Amino acid sequence: EIKVMNPFSTSLRISIITGTPEKISLNLYDIGGRKALPVRNIESANGESIIFMNCTSISPGLYILKIISPSISYETRVVKSE
């Protein structure tokens, strides 16, 4: 289960429940497909994670969030507001 705070302003909150410990990669791209932030890799120790991505360095607009792990392949559009 994945829950993404959308729209967001300075920080993007993502809740991920996989049920088992695993490595998770989070990628944020602008609408043109360019990486908006460096790749964020986390280890979900107990199968549940809440991640806050600092988004103060990116401009307001539409972005694509991709989350990848052994059990997840997830993509969604997110909006950064002013």
Side-chain angles (χ1 to χ4, degrees):
E1 177 182 359
I2 297 175
K3 294 181 183 176
V4 179
M5 183 177 65
N6 196 15
F8 65 98
S9 58
T10 58
S11 181
L12 177 57
R13 182 183 187 274
I14 305 159
S15 171
I16 303 172
I17 299 173
T18 60
T20 58
E22 54 188 71
K23 293 180 181 179
I24 301 169
S25 176
L26 298 107
N27 302 282
L28 191 67
Y29 299 92
D30 67 18
I31 201 65
R34 295 174 296 270
K35 283 189 181 179
L37 292 174
V39 173
R40 176 103 185 258
N41 294 304
I42 63 155
E43 181 89 29
S44 172
N46 62 359
E48 294 185 31
S49 297
I50 296 177
I51 302 107
F52 292 89
M53 294 180 77
N54 182 344
C55 296
T56 56
S57 65
I58 61 174
S59 300
L62 182 63
Y63 292 88
I64 299 166
L65 174 66
K66 292 185 180 183
I67 302 172
I68 300 168
S69 77
S71 67
I72 298 170
S73 181
Y74 178 84
E75 182 176 311
T76 191
R77 292 180 178 176
V78 293
V79 176
K80 181 179 182 190
S81 59
E82 294 190 30

